[in-house]
Amino acid sequence: MGIIKFVFLFLMVLSACTHQPDKLNHSGDDEPPKQINSQQNNTVGYKENPPGTFLLVGIDSRGEDQSRADTILVAQYEHKHNQLKLASIMRDCYVKIPGYPQHYHKINAAYYFGGTELLKETILVNFNLQIDHVVTIDFQGFKNLVDLLVPDGVEVQVSETMIDDMSMEASAGLNRLHGEEILKYVRYRHDDNSDFGRVQRQQEVLLKLKNEIANRLGSVEGITVLPGIIKEGLGMIETDMQLNAILGIGSQLILNNAASAENLTIPLKGTFQDKLYPHAGAVLEINIPENQEALSEFFSSRSGQNNKEI
C-alpha cells in the first residue's frame, strides 16, 4: 500500500458506495501550487474523457508549508480491459529535476521545490511518462482515514527493534494497530532491507486494509455509517480529478471485480547503485533508460506477467 495505495483503495470504496447501477451516468524552494479539493464536480463525461495515468502522492508533512513526497505511485486503469496497474517510484531515486540549479536530486525533492506540477514534469523528463491527474494525502489525513475506515485497527507483527526505533505504543509480536501506529509501521525503514522493507510492509498493510474495509462496509452497520464516512473521507484528500471521474473509475473497478492489481517497483533490481552526494545525501543512482523502458512496457502491456520488483 503505502499511503498512496490506500488512498486509491479508499477512492474505489467510496465510488462503489455512492454508485447506483440503475442510474449509471458518469457525466458530469517554491511553495507547492494550490490544488483543487476533491469534492468539486463538473460535467465532463467519464466515458469520453477517461482518467488515464494519474499520480498518487503521500506527503511527508505535519502541517509545514513545504514538504517532500514520502510515497510516489503512478496508477493506470484501462476501462476496456479492466486492468489496474500500480508503479511505485522509490523516493530516493536520483533524477534530473527541471529548473533545479544542480540539475539532479532525489525525486521526492521535486515536490518540495515545485509541488505536484514539478513532480509531474520530473516524471515526464526522466521516465517519459505523462501524468493526467494527481491525488495527494498527508500523514494526518492517512491516520484519520485509517481510523475512519477501520476503527478496530489492523493486525500486524511488530518487532522490539521497530517499537524502540519508532516509539510505538505496542508490544513485540502480533498487535492490532490504529492510525497513528500503523503510520509508524509503514514508515519504518531501519531494518536490513531499508526503504525496500518499508515498501513490503506498505503492501502488506494494503491487503489487510482491503479485507478490513470490505468486511466492515459489507455489514449492516457499514451501511448505516456510509453517509458520514463519505462526507468525512473526501475532505482528507486533495486532487485535480473531478468527482465524477473518481466515481466512474472506482465503480468500474468494483463492478468488474478487479480484485488484484499488477505492480512494478522502480528502480528494478540490478539497475541502481547506492551513492552519496553532499547536496542530496544518500540516493539511488538509477539507470534511467532501463527503468524508463520498464515503465513503458509495464503500462503498455496487457499481460499479467509484469509484477516486477526490486
Side-chain angles (χ1 to χ4, degrees):
M1 168 207 78
I3 292 175
I4 294 313
K5 290 184 181 179
F6 176 65
V7 171
F8 190 69
L9 172 63
F10 175 69
L11 293 178
M12 290 191 289
V13 170
L14 288 185
S15 300
C17 295
T18 56
H19 172 64
Q20 300 179 27
D22 59 331
K23 296 181 180 179
L24 185 59
N25 183 358
H26 301 304
S27 62
D29 306 5
D30 297 324
E31 182 179 352
K34 183 176 177 61
Q35 295 175 310
I36 302 172
N37 188 276
S38 61
Q39 299 183 59
Q40 290 183 325
N41 203 344
N42 80 343
T43 59
V44 176
Y46 165 71
K47 290 184 179 179
E48 291 76 17
N49 297 279
T53 300
F54 50 100
L55 178 64
L56 307 173
V57 187
I59 307 304
D60 184 358
S61 171
R62 297 173 183 84
E64 303 92 339
D65 290 335
Q66 289 178 282
S67 308
R68 281 178 165 78
D70 185 71
T71 306
I72 301 169
L73 189 146
V74 179
Q76 187 179 83
Y77 177 67
E78 187 183 68
H79 168 67
K80 182 178 179 181
H81 300 282
N82 190 31
Q83 289 186 326
L84 171 64
K85 296 186 178 185
L86 304 171
S88 298
I89 302 177
M90 302 297 291
R91 62 184 181 175
D92 289 342
C93 288
Y94 194 60
V95 298
K96 184 175 183 179
I97 299 180
Y100 178 59
Q102 290 182 269
H103 304 295
Y104 285 82
H105 208 295
K106 295 178 182 180
I107 192 169
N108 71 335
Y111 183 86
Y112 181 87
F113 296 142
T116 56
E117 289 305 313
L118 183 57
L119 182 54
K120 287 164 58 178
E121 187 179 357
T122 299
I123 292 173
L124 177 61
V125 167
N126 290 275
F127 300 111
N128 195 31
L129 190 60
Q130 180 74 47
I131 300 297
D132 298 309
H133 300 287
V134 182
V135 177
T136 64
I137 188 171
D138 61 16
F139 287 168
Q140 189 60 48
F142 170 74
K143 292 186 291 185
N144 291 342
L145 276 176
V146 170
D147 289 335
L148 174 67
L149 291 175
V150 285
D152 292 334
V154 180
E155 197 170 62
V156 294
Q157 191 78 24
V158 181
S159 68
E160 192 66 50
T161 302
M162 182 185 296
I163 293 171
D164 294 340
D165 186 87
M166 302 298 290
S167 299
M168 296 177 66
E169 295 183 6
S171 57
L174 203 59
N175 289 256
R176 184 163 283 274
L177 303 181
H178 297 82
E180 178 76 33
E181 305 309 313
I182 278 292
L183 177 63
K184 294 176 182 178
Y185 180 81
V186 299
R187 297 196 69 233
Y188 177 68
R189 63 189 184 100
H190 293 154
D191 58 10
D192 292 340
N193 294 321
S194 189
D195 226 20
F196 301 125
R198 185 179 74 110
V199 170
Q200 292 173 353
R201 279 183 290 278
Q202 292 173 349
Q203 294 170 347
E204 170 204 355
V205 170
L206 170 64
L207 295 177
K208 293 185 176 181
L209 281 170
K210 179 180 179 181
N211 293 335
E212 294 279 355
I213 292 170
N215 290 336
R216 184 188 179 202
L217 297 184
S219 66
V220 174
E221 178 191 0
I223 295 174
T224 63
V225 301
L226 275 180
I229 288 178
I230 294 169
K231 181 178 179 181
E232 188 174 351
L234 285 177
M236 296 175 186
I237 64 172
E238 288 189 342
T239 181
D240 61 0
M241 294 177 66
Q242 283 83 30
L243 180 57
N244 278 344
I246 296 173
L247 297 179
I249 188 172
S251 61
Q252 290 298 326
L253 283 166
I254 298 298
L255 292 173
N256 293 326
N257 298 315
S260 61
E262 291 186 40
N263 295 283
L264 176 73
T265 301
I266 296 297
L268 299 179
K269 183 177 181 180
T271 67
F272 69 93
Q273 297 180 30
D274 295 313
K275 291 291 184 71
L276 184 66
Y277 292 99
H279 70 288
V283 305
L284 300 176
E285 191 164 81
I286 70 175
N287 183 311
I288 293 292
E290 285 191 38
N291 285 283
Q292 183 183 110
E293 181 180 1
L295 277 169
S296 177
E297 291 180 357
F298 178 70
F299 283 121
S300 63
S301 173
R302 296 176 187 168
S303 169
Q305 307 299 316
N306 289 310
N307 293 301
K308 298 180 180 180
E309 298 287 342
I310 56 150

Coordinates of all heavy atoms in Angstrom, one line a residue, residues 38-69:
S38 N -11.2 17.6 -3.7 CA -11.8 16.5 -4.3 C -13.3 16.6 -4.4 O -13.9 15.8 -5.2 CB -11.4 15.2 -3.6 OG -11.9 15.3 -2.3
Q39 N -14.0 17.5 -3.7 CA -15.4 17.5 -3.7 C -16.0 18.3 -4.8 O -17.2 18.4 -5.0 CB -15.9 18.0 -2.4 CG -15.5 17.1 -1.2 CD -16.1 17.6 0.1 OE1 -17.3 17.7 0.3 NE2 -15.2 17.9 1.0
Q40 N -15.1 19.0 -5.6 CA -15.6 19.8 -6.8 C -16.1 18.8 -7.9 O -15.6 17.7 -8.0 CB -14.5 20.7 -7.3 CG -14.2 21.8 -6.3 CD -13.1 22.8 -6.8 OE1 -12.2 22.4 -7.5 NE2 -13.3 24.0 -6.5
N41 N -16.9 19.3 -8.7 CA -17.5 18.5 -9.7 C -17.6 19.2 -11.0 O -17.3 20.4 -11.1 CB -19.0 18.1 -9.3 CG -19.5 16.8 -9.9 OD1 -18.9 16.4 -10.9 ND2 -20.5 16.3 -9.4
N42 N -17.9 18.5 -12.1 CA -18.1 19.1 -13.4 C -19.0 18.2 -14.3 O -19.5 17.2 -13.8 CB -16.8 19.5 -14.1 CG -16.1 18.3 -14.8 OD1 -16.5 17.2 -14.5 ND2 -15.2 18.6 -15.6
T43 N -19.1 18.6 -15.5 CA -20.0 17.8 -16.4 C -19.2 17.0 -17.5 O -19.8 16.6 -18.4 CB -21.0 18.7 -17.1 OG1 -20.3 19.7 -17.8 CG2 -21.9 19.4 -16.1
V44 N -17.9 16.9 -17.3 CA -17.1 16.2 -18.3 C -17.5 14.7 -18.2 O -17.5 14.1 -17.1 CB -15.6 16.4 -18.1 CG1 -14.8 15.5 -19.0 CG2 -15.3 17.8 -18.2
G45 N -17.8 14.1 -19.3 CA -18.2 12.6 -19.3 C -17.0 11.7 -19.1 O -16.0 11.8 -19.7
Y46 N -17.1 10.8 -18.2 CA -16.1 9.8 -17.9 C -15.7 9.0 -19.1 O -14.6 8.7 -19.4 CB -16.5 9.0 -16.7 CG -15.6 7.7 -16.5 CD1 -14.3 7.9 -16.1 CD2 -16.1 6.5 -16.8 CE1 -13.5 6.8 -16.0 CE2 -15.3 5.4 -16.7 CZ -14.0 5.5 -16.2 OH -13.2 4.4 -16.1
K47 N -16.8 8.5 -19.8 CA -16.5 7.6 -20.9 C -15.8 8.3 -22.0 O -15.0 7.7 -22.7 CB -17.9 7.0 -21.4 CG -18.5 6.0 -20.4 CD -19.7 5.4 -20.9 CE -20.3 4.4 -20.0 NZ -21.6 3.8 -20.5
E48 N -16.1 9.6 -22.2 CA -15.5 10.3 -23.3 C -14.1 10.8 -22.9 O -13.2 10.9 -23.7 CB -16.3 11.5 -23.7 CG -17.6 11.2 -24.3 CD -18.7 10.7 -23.4 OE1 -18.5 10.9 -22.2 OE2 -19.7 10.1 -23.8
N49 N -13.9 11.0 -21.6 CA -12.6 11.5 -21.1 C -12.1 10.7 -19.9 O -12.1 11.2 -18.8 CB -12.7 13.0 -20.7 CG -13.0 13.9 -21.9 OD1 -12.2 14.2 -22.7 ND2 -14.3 14.2 -22.1
P50 N -11.7 9.4 -20.1 CA -11.4 8.6 -19.0 C -10.1 9.1 -18.3 O -9.2 9.5 -19.0 CB -11.1 7.2 -19.7 CG -10.8 7.5 -21.1 CD -11.6 8.7 -21.4
P51 N -10.0 9.0 -17.0 CA -8.7 9.4 -16.3 C -7.7 8.4 -16.6 O -7.8 7.2 -16.2 CB -9.1 9.4 -14.8 CG -10.3 8.4 -14.8 CD -11.0 8.5 -16.1
G52 N -6.7 8.7 -17.4 CA -5.7 7.8 -17.9 C -4.7 7.4 -16.9 O -4.8 6.4 -16.1
T53 N -3.6 8.1 -16.8 CA -2.5 7.9 -15.9 C -2.5 8.9 -14.8 O -2.5 10.1 -15.1 CB -1.1 7.8 -16.6 OG1 -1.2 6.8 -17.6 CG2 0.0 7.5 -15.7
F54 N -2.5 8.5 -13.6 CA -2.5 9.5 -12.5 C -1.5 9.2 -11.4 O -1.1 8.1 -11.2 CB -3.9 9.8 -12.0 CG -4.7 8.5 -11.6 CD1 -4.8 8.2 -10.2 CD2 -5.4 7.8 -12.5 CE1 -5.5 7.1 -9.8 CE2 -6.1 6.7 -12.1 CZ -6.2 6.3 -10.8
L55 N -1.1 10.3 -10.8 CA -0.1 10.3 -9.8 C -0.7 10.3 -8.4 O -1.5 11.2 -8.1 CB 0.8 11.5 -10.0 CG 2.0 11.7 -9.0 CD1 3.0 10.5 -9.1 CD2 2.7 13.0 -9.3
L56 N -0.3 9.4 -7.5 CA -0.7 9.3 -6.2 C 0.5 9.6 -5.3 O 1.5 9.0 -5.3 CB -1.3 7.9 -5.8 CG -2.4 7.4 -6.8 CD1 -2.7 6.0 -6.5 CD2 -3.6 8.3 -6.8
V57 N 0.3 10.7 -4.4 CA 1.5 11.2 -3.7 C 1.1 11.2 -2.2 O 0.2 11.9 -1.8 CB 1.8 12.6 -4.1 CG1 3.1 13.1 -3.4 CG2 2.0 12.7 -5.6
G58 N 2.0 10.6 -1.4 CA 1.9 10.7 0.1 C 2.9 11.7 0.5 O 4.0 11.7 0.2
I59 N 2.4 12.7 1.3 CA 3.2 13.9 1.6 C 3.8 13.7 3.0 O 3.1 13.5 4.0 CB 2.4 15.2 1.5 CG1 1.7 15.3 0.2 CG2 3.2 16.4 1.8 CD1 2.6 15.2 -1.0
D60 N 5.1 14.0 3.1 CA 5.8 13.9 4.3 C 5.6 15.3 5.0 O 6.4 16.2 5.0 CB 7.3 13.7 4.1 CG 8.1 13.6 5.4 OD1 7.5 13.7 6.4 OD2 9.4 13.4 5.3
S61 N 4.4 15.4 5.7 CA 4.0 16.7 6.2 C 3.3 16.5 7.5 O 2.5 15.6 7.7 CB 3.1 17.4 5.2 OG 2.6 18.6 5.8
R62 N 3.5 17.4 8.4 CA 2.7 17.6 9.6 C 2.3 19.0 9.8 O 2.2 19.5 10.9 CB 3.6 17.1 10.8 CG 4.0 15.7 10.8 CD 5.0 15.3 11.9 NE 5.4 13.9 11.8 CZ 6.4 13.5 11.0 NH1 7.1 14.4 10.2 NH2 6.8 12.3 11.0
G63 N 2.0 19.6 8.7 CA 1.4 21.0 8.7 C 2.4 22.0 8.1 O 2.0 23.2 8.1
E64 N 3.6 21.6 7.7 CA 4.6 22.6 7.2 C 4.1 23.2 5.8 O 3.3 22.6 5.1 CB 5.9 22.0 7.0 CG 6.5 21.3 8.2 CD 6.2 19.9 8.3 OE1 5.2 19.4 7.7 OE2 6.9 19.1 9.1
D65 N 4.6 24.4 5.5 CA 4.2 25.0 4.2 C 4.8 24.2 3.1 O 4.2 24.1 2.0 CB 4.8 26.4 4.2 CG 4.0 27.3 5.1 OD1 2.8 27.0 5.4 OD2 4.6 28.4 5.5
Q66 N 6.0 23.6 3.2 CA 6.7 22.9 2.2 C 7.0 21.5 2.7 O 7.4 21.3 3.8 CB 7.9 23.5 1.7 CG 7.7 24.8 0.9 CD 9.0 25.5 0.5 OE1 9.6 26.1 1.3 NE2 9.4 25.3 -0.8
S67 N 6.8 20.5 1.8 CA 7.0 19.1 2.2 C 7.6 18.3 1.1 O 7.4 18.7 -0.1 CB 5.7 18.5 2.7 OG 5.1 19.2 3.7
R68 N 8.2 17.2 1.4 CA 8.7 16.3 0.4 C 7.7 15.1 0.2 O 6.9 14.9 1.1 CB 10.1 15.7 0.8 CG 11.2 16.7 0.5 CD 12.6 16.1 0.9 NE 13.7 16.8 0.4 CZ 14.1 18.0 0.8 NH1 13.5 18.5 1.9 NH2 15.1 18.6 0.3
A69 N 7.7 14.5 -0.9 CA 6.9 13.4 -1.2 C 7.4 12.1 -0.6 O 8.5 11.7 -0.9 CB 6.7 13.2 -2.7

